[in-house]
Amino acid sequence: MNGTWDRRAFIKRVALGCAGMGGIATAGTLLVDAGRDAPLAATRSSQVRDFRAGLDLEEIARLVVSAAGEAAEATRAAIASLGGMGRFVRRGETVVIKPNVGWDRTPLQAANTNPAVVAALVALCVEAGAASVVVTDNSCNEAGRCFTRSGIWKAAEGAGAAVVLPAPHRFRAYDLGGVALGRMPVLTAAVEADRFINVPIAKHHGLSVFTGAMKNLYGVLGGRRDRLHQRIDDSIADLADFVRPTLTVMDATRVLVRNGPQGGDIGDTEEVGRVIASVDQVAVDAHACGLVHVARADLPYLRLAAARGLGAADPGRVSLREIS
């Protein structure tokens, strides 16, 4: 076994009995996820995961908004405008790509990242000489169904990535050292690569109002993530402080404007046809929230993240390039 789950093998297992698999997963969680009941409290001893080593951030702090064709083409154009993937991924490096694969939904329902965006990024990393590319997320619904129905499993593997599902043994406790978040179980595949590319989808969220780049980082955590909602703005800022991506690429080709984050009704979605890319995840959120009809002033976590020096809550402070 090479450390990843084969898609065909998984589908076969589902056909043999979902109930048995669910029981095994539950037992595994109880036995292995030591951080499940970790206290939701600050520790002030952060193990920051900064994936920007060696990047000249001042030189590439540009915010690119691409409307250059369909999802894959727009994604490639956005990365090219930032100088190409070779500027972010060096030959021989390992890369993790973290889309939003939270829900058992199809691409038309706009609850998960567009699989064409994910596949384009995987292909660009492979072309840049990455030693390996992993696509992973800790889904809210059953992970195998989410990765399959979203189309991300097939698209990622087809482009050359390995898909890693959030099996219980793949979590290890890290100290986030945040204002709200302390020691938490973290998906190791998501934080142990050389480079981290965050690939959220822009959408409405019933509690945080908008979910984009910073909120997408919830998917690296295990345990009882519902507890993070007790102080959601502080929690989002804590996560953005803990995981500092190499690059953020926001899928705004089709966005969910109501009843998020799970959605389900295609009538709640809108075609926007945009892909947004930057090394500044705060600026990406500050720009993209408007595409979901949310004002920046309604997102306290933008201000909290900016106050920590994590990015620009006012996208007007970042040079903007629009391409079509």
Side-chain angles (χ1 to χ4, degrees):
M1 189 172 179
N2 61 5
T4 63
W5 287 21
D6 178 82
R7 184 166 62 90
R8 290 182 179 175
F10 169 78
I11 293 172
K12 184 177 179 180
R13 289 181 188 182
V14 170
L16 290 173
C18 294
M21 185 176 177
I24 292 170
T26 301
T29 298
L30 291 173
L31 289 170
V32 180
D33 186 359
R36 181 185 177 90
D37 297 315
L40 184 67
T43 60
R44 307 295 185 185
S45 180
S46 179
Q47 296 173 275
V48 170
R49 312 300 295 169
D50 192 338
F51 298 92
R52 304 169 298 176
L55 300 183
D56 185 345
L57 298 180
E58 292 299 323
E59 179 67 21
I60 55 178
R62 182 186 306 135
L63 186 68
V64 173
V65 179
S66 173
E70 299 296 324
E73 184 180 359
T75 302
R76 283 184 170 272
I79 302 304
S81 184
L82 285 172
M85 188 60 82
R87 198 167 190 178
F88 305 97
V89 175
R90 312 275 168 73
R91 186 168 296 279
E93 289 185 330
T94 58
V95 181
V96 63
I97 291 179
K98 165 63 181 74
N100 187 324
V101 202
W103 308 101
D104 182 7
R105 296 287 190 236
T106 68
L108 280 177
Q109 293 167 308
N112 304 306
T113 304
N114 187 318
V117 173
V118 177
L121 291 170
V122 171
L124 286 169
C125 291
V126 171
E127 292 166 15
S132 66
V133 182
V134 164
V135 173
T136 193
D137 190 20
N138 188 13
S139 306
C140 298
N141 294 149
E142 198 281 320
R145 295 201 318 270
C146 295
F147 273 82
T148 300
R149 198 161 183 230
S150 67
I152 289 176
W153 199 333
K154 182 178 181 180
E157 285 193 339
V163 170
V164 174
L165 298 188
H169 68 278
R170 297 192 185 281
F171 289 86
R172 184 161 67 86
Y174 278 80
D175 194 338
L176 277 63
V179 172
L181 304 180
R183 193 171 177 81
M184 298 284 294
V186 174
L187 185 58
T188 55
V191 296
E192 293 188 346
D194 297 314
R195 300 296 180 186
F196 184 109
I197 301 178
N198 191 19
V199 196
I201 180 172
K203 58 180 178 175
H204 169 260
H205 191 286
L207 187 56
S208 64
V209 186
F210 170 76
T211 173
M214 291 188 280
K215 179 69 169 59
N216 191 45
L217 298 174
Y218 267 45
V220 308
L221 298 179
R224 293 180 54 191
R225 289 186 295 174
D226 58 313
R227 295 179 305 159
L228 276 64
H229 291 163
Q230 295 168 13
R231 296 176 62 182
I232 194 163
D233 293 306
D234 283 327
S235 296
I236 292 172
D238 281 353
L239 275 166
D241 207 351
F242 172 63
V243 178
R244 304 179 185 185
T246 309
L247 181 64
T248 296
V249 182
M250 173 82 77
D251 166 28
T253 54
R254 175 183 288 271
V255 303
L256 182 62
V257 297
R258 292 178 294 277
N259 298 316
Q262 186 169 186
D265 186 344
I266 295 175
D268 289 336
T269 71
E270 293 182 2
E271 287 267 15
V272 174
R274 299 287 188 278
V275 172
I276 305 159
S278 179
V279 296
D280 185 338
Q281 60 179 333
V282 184
V284 170
D285 275 350
H287 180 88
C289 64
L291 302 177
V292 188
H293 314 301
V294 173
R296 295 197 302 273
D298 293 335
L299 304 178
Y301 61 79
L302 290 178
R303 174 178 48 77
L304 294 172
R308 299 187 193 192
L310 300 176
D314 178 1
R317 299 183 60 184
V318 179
S319 62
L320 172 65
R321 174 177 290 181
E322 296 183 274
I323 52 179
S324 58

